[in-house]
PDB file of all heavy atoms in Angstrom:
ATOM      1  N   TRP D 166      -6.222  -1.825  11.244  1.00  0.00           N
ATOM      2  CA  TRP D 166      -5.732  -2.462  12.490  1.00  0.00           C
ATOM      3  C   TRP D 166      -4.347  -1.982  12.816  1.00  0.00           C
ATOM      4  O   TRP D 166      -3.968  -1.680  13.901  1.00  0.00           O
ATOM      5  CB  TRP D 166      -5.735  -3.988  12.369  1.00  0.00           C
ATOM      6  CG  TRP D 166      -7.019  -4.633  12.228  1.00  0.00           C
ATOM      7  CD1 TRP D 166      -8.306  -4.012  12.102  1.00  0.00           C
ATOM      8  CD2 TRP D 166      -7.351  -5.953  12.316  1.00  0.00           C
ATOM      9  NE1 TRP D 166      -9.154  -4.992  12.070  1.00  0.00           N
ATOM     10  CE2 TRP D 166      -8.642  -6.186  12.078  1.00  0.00           C
ATOM     11  CE3 TRP D 166      -6.421  -7.114  12.279  1.00  0.00           C
ATOM     12  CZ2 TRP D 166      -9.223  -7.438  12.025  1.00  0.00           C
ATOM     13  CZ3 TRP D 166      -6.966  -8.383  12.244  1.00  0.00           C
ATOM     14  CH2 TRP D 166      -8.433  -8.525  12.053  1.00  0.00           C
ATOM     15  N   PHE D 167      -3.478  -2.017  11.797  1.00  0.00           N
ATOM     16  CA  PHE D 167      -2.055  -1.782  12.028  1.00  0.00           C
ATOM     17  C   PHE D 167      -1.753  -0.198  12.069  1.00  0.00           C
ATOM     18  O   PHE D 167      -0.812   0.208  12.724  1.00  0.00           O
ATOM     19  CB  PHE D 167      -1.218  -2.465  10.979  1.00  0.00           C
ATOM     20  CG  PHE D 167      -1.362  -3.901  10.887  1.00  0.00           C
ATOM     21  CD1 PHE D 167      -2.073  -4.649   9.907  1.00  0.00           C
ATOM     22  CD2 PHE D 167      -0.746  -4.685  11.928  1.00  0.00           C
ATOM     23  CE1 PHE D 167      -2.189  -5.975   9.924  1.00  0.00           C
ATOM     24  CE2 PHE D 167      -0.976  -6.023  11.902  1.00  0.00           C
ATOM     25  CZ  PHE D 167      -1.650  -6.720  11.006  1.00  0.00           C
ATOM     26  N   CYS D 168      -2.614   0.524  11.337  1.00  0.00           N
ATOM     27  CA  CYS D 168      -2.464   2.024  11.441  1.00  0.00           C
ATOM     28  C   CYS D 168      -2.775   2.370  12.886  1.00  0.00           C
ATOM     29  O   CYS D 168      -2.315   3.493  13.251  1.00  0.00           O
ATOM     30  CB  CYS D 168      -3.346   2.674  10.520  1.00  0.00           C
ATOM     31  SG  CYS D 168      -2.958   2.414   8.765  1.00  0.00           S
ATOM     32  N   HIS D 169      -3.614   1.652  13.563  1.00  0.00           N
ATOM     33  CA  HIS D 169      -3.983   1.978  14.947  1.00  0.00           C
ATOM     34  C   HIS D 169      -2.926   1.577  16.010  1.00  0.00           C
ATOM     35  O   HIS D 169      -2.937   1.869  17.171  1.00  0.00           O
ATOM     36  CB  HIS D 169      -5.253   1.298  15.370  1.00  0.00           C
ATOM     37  CG  HIS D 169      -6.016   1.875  16.571  1.00  0.00           C
ATOM     38  ND1 HIS D 169      -6.502   3.124  16.556  1.00  0.00           N
ATOM     39  CD2 HIS D 169      -6.158   1.272  17.724  1.00  0.00           C
ATOM     40  CE1 HIS D 169      -7.087   3.305  17.806  1.00  0.00           C
ATOM     41  NE2 HIS D 169      -6.809   2.218  18.532  1.00  0.00           N
ATOM     42  N   THR D 170      -1.875   0.945  15.502  1.00  0.00           N
ATOM     43  CA  THR D 170      -0.830   0.402  16.397  1.00  0.00           C
ATOM     44  C   THR D 170       0.436   1.268  16.218  1.00  0.00           C
ATOM     45  O   THR D 170       1.151   1.235  15.189  1.00  0.00           O
ATOM     46  CB  THR D 170      -0.376  -1.036  16.025  1.00  0.00           C
ATOM     47  OG1 THR D 170      -1.590  -1.886  16.118  1.00  0.00           O
ATOM     48  CG2 THR D 170       0.624  -1.548  16.874  1.00  0.00           C
ATOM     49  N   ALA D 171       0.760   2.027  17.218  1.00  0.00           N
ATOM     50  CA  ALA D 171       1.975   2.885  17.200  1.00  0.00           C
ATOM     51  C   ALA D 171       3.162   1.945  17.103  1.00  0.00           C
ATOM     52  O   ALA D 171       3.355   0.951  17.655  1.00  0.00           O
ATOM     53  CB  ALA D 171       2.086   3.649  18.523  1.00  0.00           C
ATOM     54  N   GLY D 172       4.119   2.539  16.212  1.00  0.00           N
ATOM     55  CA  GLY D 172       5.418   1.753  16.092  1.00  0.00           C
ATOM     56  C   GLY D 172       5.457   1.026  14.768  1.00  0.00           C
ATOM     57  O   GLY D 172       6.607   0.449  14.396  1.00  0.00           O
ATOM     58  N   ILE D 173       4.395   0.877  14.039  1.00  0.00           N
ATOM     59  CA  ILE D 173       4.434   0.222  12.723  1.00  0.00           C
ATOM     60  C   ILE D 173       4.111   1.205  11.587  1.00  0.00           C
ATOM     61  O   ILE D 173       3.151   1.916  11.727  1.00  0.00           O
ATOM     62  CB  ILE D 173       3.406  -0.925  12.662  1.00  0.00           C
ATOM     63  CG1 ILE D 173       3.698  -1.985  13.765  1.00  0.00           C
ATOM     64  CG2 ILE D 173       3.311  -1.564  11.244  1.00  0.00           C
ATOM     65  CD1 ILE D 173       2.665  -3.101  13.763  1.00  0.00           C
ATOM     66  N   LYS D 174       4.757   1.125  10.530  1.00  0.00           N
ATOM     67  CA  LYS D 174       4.459   1.897   9.310  1.00  0.00           C
ATOM     68  C   LYS D 174       3.708   0.954   8.381  1.00  0.00           C
ATOM     69  O   LYS D 174       4.049  -0.230   8.246  1.00  0.00           O
ATOM     70  CB  LYS D 174       5.749   2.439   8.729  1.00  0.00           C
ATOM     71  CG  LYS D 174       6.496   3.517   9.510  1.00  0.00           C
ATOM     72  CD  LYS D 174       7.726   3.961   8.807  1.00  0.00           C
ATOM     73  CE  LYS D 174       8.423   5.053   9.608  1.00  0.00           C
ATOM     74  NZ  LYS D 174       9.131   4.559  10.850  1.00  0.00           N
ATOM     75  N   VAL D 175       2.758   1.549   7.634  1.00  0.00           N
ATOM     76  CA  VAL D 175       1.872   0.807   6.732  1.00  0.00           C
ATOM     77  C   VAL D 175       1.962   1.347   5.344  1.00  0.00           C
ATOM     78  O   VAL D 175       1.611   2.516   5.231  1.00  0.00           O
ATOM     79  CB  VAL D 175       0.452   0.766   7.286  1.00  0.00           C
ATOM     80  CG1 VAL D 175      -0.369  -0.151   6.310  1.00  0.00           C
ATOM     81  CG2 VAL D 175       0.333   0.220   8.715  1.00  0.00           C
ATOM     82  N   VAL D 176       2.342   0.578   4.351  1.00  0.00           N
ATOM     83  CA  VAL D 176       2.586   1.098   2.980  1.00  0.00           C
ATOM     84  C   VAL D 176       1.763   0.110   2.121  1.00  0.00           C
ATOM     85  O   VAL D 176       1.801  -1.016   2.238  1.00  0.00           O
ATOM     86  CB  VAL D 176       4.027   0.960   2.655  1.00  0.00           C
ATOM     87  CG1 VAL D 176       4.330   1.304   1.189  1.00  0.00           C
ATOM     88  CG2 VAL D 176       4.913   1.847   3.604  1.00  0.00           C
ATOM     89  N   ILE D 177       1.111   0.848   1.093  1.00  0.00           N
ATOM     90  CA  ILE D 177       0.264   0.107   0.117  1.00  0.00           C
ATOM     91  C   ILE D 177       0.558   0.704  -1.244  1.00  0.00           C
ATOM     92  O   ILE D 177      -0.112   1.698  -1.623  1.00  0.00           O
ATOM     93  CB  ILE D 177      -1.259   0.137   0.453  1.00  0.00           C
ATOM     94  CG1 ILE D 177      -1.456  -0.438   1.784  1.00  0.00           C
ATOM     95  CG2 ILE D 177      -2.027  -0.710  -0.559  1.00  0.00           C
ATOM     96  CD1 ILE D 177      -3.050  -0.480   2.274  1.00  0.00           C
TER      97      ILE D 177
END
Side-chain angles (χ1 to χ4, degrees):
W166 292 6
F167 298 108
C168 291
H169 195 69
T170 302
I173 299 178
K174 296 180 174 73
V175 182
V176 176
I177 307 181

